[in-house]
């Protein structure tokens, strides 16, 4: 992960039932990976869901937000999948990383 | 969550076994909540763990990083609890939030 990249923190609570969510989530991850400026994504859910995606520039985040199929996913997300979510767009100031030896 | 706050994204992979981790994690959450500038925390683990904490200023993040009991937790984390982690310190540029109706 490079310094001075940008991060989008997507924190959410889902509604009950799949209703097409899993297939769309997989598709969106695949499309994001192909999108300009995408650097990586970490996604975890256990009741609460937190997905962090990393991007080269703020412009890349805006074009991804407006990507046609992603707009449809956002609409369906509000209609069907999410009780609540918060999106935080961030500038990464610094990273540090630890790897255990052995 | 206010605009222009700061976020710390802690992404991690744990070692097997508790080894005192759960008690320390609970203690650290309690201490962070009492620390100057703490705004909130979202924490999820399912294999991968992602914890995002939000802070008023970058100085608050630095004093929390150097807090005595937190320093001990960081040392034990490297010795016993984590295979890998990455810390990303971020400036939040904007938030938006969705609540389902009804």
């Amino acid at each position: 992960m490079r310094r001075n990249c940008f991060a989008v923190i997507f924190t959410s609570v889902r509604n009950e039932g799949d209703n097409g969510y899993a297939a769309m989530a997989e598709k969106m991850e695949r499309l994001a990976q192909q999108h300009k400026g995408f650097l990586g994504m970490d996604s975890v859910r256990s009741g609460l869901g937190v997905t962090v995606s990393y991007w080269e520039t703020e412009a890349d985040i805006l074009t991804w937000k407006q990507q046609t199929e992603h707009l449809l996913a956002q609409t369906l997300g509000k209609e069907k999948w999410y009780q609540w979510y918060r999106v935080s767009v961030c500038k990464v100031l610094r990273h540090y990383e630890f790897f255990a030896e052995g």
Side-chain angles (χ1 to χ4, degrees), chain A:
Chain A
M1 201 67 65
R2 67 193 75 182
R3 283 173 78 127
N4 299 320
C5 66
F6 291 79
V8 179
I9 307 169
F10 180 77
T11 313
S12 64
V13 177
R14 291 268 319 276
N15 291 318
E16 294 285 315
D18 183 70
N19 295 313
Y21 170 81
M24 182 65 94
E26 195 179 311
K27 184 176 178 184
M28 285 306 113
E29 186 168 348
R30 195 160 21 84
L31 286 175
Q33 282 166 358
Q34 294 162 11
H35 197 84
K36 183 180 168 301
F38 178 85
L39 296 173
M41 180 184 284
D42 296 309
S43 191
V44 188
R45 179 172 303 280
S46 175
L48 188 72
V50 180
T51 297
V52 186
S53 58
Y54 297 91
W55 301 85
E56 281 181 10
T57 71
E58 212 179 340
D60 296 328
I61 293 170
L62 291 172
T63 57
W64 169 241
K65 186 172 193 301
Q66 289 155 14
Q67 199 267 9
T68 309
E69 284 156 296
H70 190 202
L71 284 174
L72 171 62
Q74 290 169 58
T75 301
L76 292 171
K78 287 181 192 174
E79 284 176 12
K80 300 204 294 186
W81 297 321
Y82 294 111
Q83 265 178 48
W84 169 81
Y85 64 70
R86 184 179 60 229
V87 178
S88 303
V89 178
C90 305
K91 179 168 175 50
V92 177
L93 304 175
R94 58 185 176 277
H95 294 289
Y96 52 94
E97 200 165 3
F98 165 77
F99 299 88
E101 290 171 20

